[in-house]
Amino acid sequence: MKINPTLKDLPVYQPGRPIEEVARELGLPAAGIIKLASNENPFGPSLLALAAMQKALAGVNLYPDGNAFYLKQKLAAKLGVEPANLILGNGSNEIIEFAGHALLAPGTDVVVSQYCFAVYPIVTKLFGANLITVPAKNYGHDLPAMLKAITPRTRIVFVANPNNPTGTRAPREEVIRFINDVPDDVLLVMDEAYIDFLNDPVDLSPLVRQSVRPNLILMRTFSKIYGLAGLRVGYGIGNPDFVAALEKIRQPFNLNLLAQTAALAALDDVEHVRKTRRNNFAGLEFFERAFRDLKLEFIPSAANFILVRVGNGRKIFEALQKQGVIVRPMGGYQLPEWIRISIGTPEENERCLTALKVATR
């Protein structure tokens, strides 16, 4: 078979290691392992979501609503937009791929920041487009430099705010200026997967709602704050005309019955969100204080994880695994001296810190 030559050098996304895999490999009991690698919600899913899924189980022999009518209606009301502004995806990763299908081809350009989310380069290469990587500024986005990097061939610019994996946040004034200055024929994808962890986020939805910037799409997810990572529910908020184009690309039934059901119920669980946010703020303070005491360099984070410099990141990652603590090594992000730690429960955070002290002796 003549395989698409693009696939030959296409990088493969490496997710955080699952507990079961580490347990098998190291001969450890799965119940004794904690995972602080993939920025998941340490409290699990909303109890309302669990109850709703239990009721919906009997209907899994039927195809789900292909247009997710009720979820779109409820989400639109919460966001103050119209259902026509929403595109739903199997995780927000699928929204990234939709944009690639719609806009990218060999000879086109995509602009990203150094230390950007790994899926942006993967999707760019998948469609044969050229990746323009702008050097980071203090591990975050240098938005003025990214603006200058836009060429006549540029079709998409990706900006994650807060950024994964560094946790950095672009200043409000720079974000607004950047959005206004990006050319009208370039799609600006603002990845807001971690926006719910901010106290004072830049609310860009009015720009979409009022069609001020038709070339802007916001990406969000139920994976983090709502604790539904295993169900893969993401969404984009964009101009109705562009969303209509993406709908032609979307596969039928890409959001399964239980995913729709859980997301719909999770939107009502305000207390679960509050609890998660409180825990996250406390967890970030805990690790920042501990890293200062240990004289370890770290990057102040605006998300639900923190990046810390430990010397040999891979070695420390493996040492922590042997103690039953899974974190994320950052070599794949050109940060080989760093590891990323997701914020867990207070008990998980304490255990991770204890293991880190042992590993870095």
Side-chain angles (χ1 to χ4, degrees), residues 24 54 74 76 85 138 144 156 164 167 174 210-211 221 223 269 272 278 298 309 329 353:
R24 285 194 305 269
Q54 287 286 347
K74 194 166 190 174
N85 289 117
N138 298 322
I156 303 176
N164 178 24
E174 284 192 19
Q210 299 162 16
S211 295
T221 181
S223 294
D269 202 339
H272 185 260
R278 284 196 302 268
F298 66 92
R309 195 171 199 162
L353 180 60

Side-chain angles (χ1 to χ4, degrees), residues 248-324:
K248 294 180 180 180
I249 299 160
R250 183 180 63 83
Q251 291 293 311
F253 314 117
N254 67 324
L255 220 58
N256 69 65
L257 172 65
L258 297 184
Q260 292 185 38
T261 301
L264 197 60
L267 287 173
D268 288 330
D269 202 339
V270 177
E271 182 50 39
H272 185 260
V273 171
R274 286 177 182 160
K275 178 182 177 183
T276 301
R277 281 169 49 83
R278 284 196 302 268
N279 179 76
N280 194 68
F281 292 136
L284 286 174
E285 289 179 3
F286 168 81
F287 277 117
E288 289 183 3
R289 186 167 57 249
F291 295 154
R292 288 191 188 98
D293 291 342
L294 294 172
K295 295 181 170 51
L296 292 175
E297 182 184 354
F298 66 92
I299 300 173
S301 175
N304 67 337
F305 56 83
I306 190 164
L307 216 59
V308 58
R309 195 171 199 162
V310 292
N312 187 327
R314 186 76 196 181
K315 181 180 177 181
I316 298 300
F317 158 74
E318 291 173 353
L320 291 174
Q321 265 194 166
K322 291 175 182 176
Q323 298 180 70

Side-chain angles (χ1 to χ4, degrees), residues 121-180:
I122 290 174
V123 167
T124 300
K125 294 179 186 298
L126 179 63
F127 292 100
N130 177 49
L131 186 72
I132 297 175
T133 303
V134 177
K137 182 179 179 182
N138 298 322
Y139 297 101
H141 291 75
D142 186 341
L143 293 181
M146 291 180 71
L147 189 66
K148 291 178 182 177
I150 294 174
T151 73
R153 298 182 302 276
T154 301
R155 297 294 176 268
I156 303 176
V157 177
F158 287 106
V159 175
N161 196 39
N163 184 51
N164 178 24
T166 60
T168 52
R169 178 185 182 186
R172 178 185 300 266
E173 298 75 17
E174 284 192 19
V175 170
I176 298 300
R177 191 179 309 119
F178 185 73
I179 290 172
N180 289 331

Side-chain angles (χ1 to χ4, degrees), residues 30-241:
I33 297 174
I34 61 170
K35 183 185 177 191
L36 301 178
S38 300
N39 310 336
E40 295 147 336
N41 191 317
F43 296 126
S46 153
L47 294 180
L48 296 182
L50 288 175
M53 284 190 287
Q54 287 286 347
K55 291 181 181 178
L57 281 172
V60 296
N61 60 307
L62 302 175
Y63 287 105
D65 176 0
N67 291 312
F69 175 84
Y70 293 108
L71 179 55
K72 277 189 177 179
Q73 291 287 327
K74 194 166 190 174
L75 197 53
K78 175 182 173 62
L79 298 169
V81 298
E82 296 298 322
N85 289 117
L86 299 175
I87 177 78
L88 301 178
N90 188 250
S92 55
N93 279 13
E94 193 176 29
I95 310 297
I96 299 171
E97 190 174 341
F98 290 163
H101 276 291
L103 295 168
L104 298 183
T108 58
D109 290 344
V110 172
V111 175
V112 299
S113 175
Q114 185 184 16
Y115 315 131
C116 69
F117 182 41
V119 175
Y120 308 154
I122 290 174
V123 167
T124 300
K125 294 179 186 298
L126 179 63
F127 292 100
N130 177 49
L131 186 72
I132 297 175
T133 303
V134 177
K137 182 179 179 182
N138 298 322
Y139 297 101
H141 291 75
D142 186 341
L143 293 181
M146 291 180 71
L147 189 66
K148 291 178 182 177
I150 294 174
T151 73
R153 298 182 302 276
T154 301
R155 297 294 176 268
I156 303 176
V157 177
F158 287 106
V159 175
N161 196 39
N163 184 51
N164 178 24
T166 60
T168 52
R169 178 185 182 186
R172 178 185 300 266
E173 298 75 17
E174 284 192 19
V175 170
I176 298 300
R177 191 179 309 119
F178 185 73
I179 290 172
N180 289 331
D181 290 345
V182 168
D184 293 343
D185 61 347
V186 174
L187 177 68
L188 173 56
V189 179
M190 293 294 298
D191 188 341
E192 299 182 332
Y194 299 94
I195 191 172
D196 297 295
F197 296 100
L198 298 175
N199 269 332
D200 57 339
V202 184
D203 183 11
L204 302 177
S205 58
L207 300 179
V208 175
R209 185 186 312 123
Q210 299 162 16
S211 295
V212 175
R213 300 300 293 165
N215 63 326
L216 172 67
I217 187 167
L218 314 176
M219 290 196 317
R220 297 183 186 176
T221 181
F222 282 81
S223 294
K224 312 302 180 184
I225 198 79
Y226 291 108
L228 301 181
L231 291 173
R232 314 303 299 124
V233 186
Y235 59 98
I237 313 166
N239 179 269
D241 292 337

Side-chain angles (χ1 to χ4, degrees), residues 307-350:
L307 216 59
V308 58
R309 195 171 199 162
V310 292
N312 187 327
R314 186 76 196 181
K315 181 180 177 181
I316 298 300
F317 158 74
E318 291 173 353
L320 291 174
Q321 265 194 166
K322 291 175 182 176
Q323 298 180 70
V325 179
I326 309 172
V327 296
R328 191 72 175 269
M330 289 286 102
Y333 283 91
Q334 290 76 54
L335 292 163
E337 296 183 340
W338 301 73
I339 59 172
R340 191 186 68 195
I341 301 173
S342 303
I343 303 303
T345 63
E347 295 76 19
E348 290 172 334
N349 297 339
E350 288 278 5

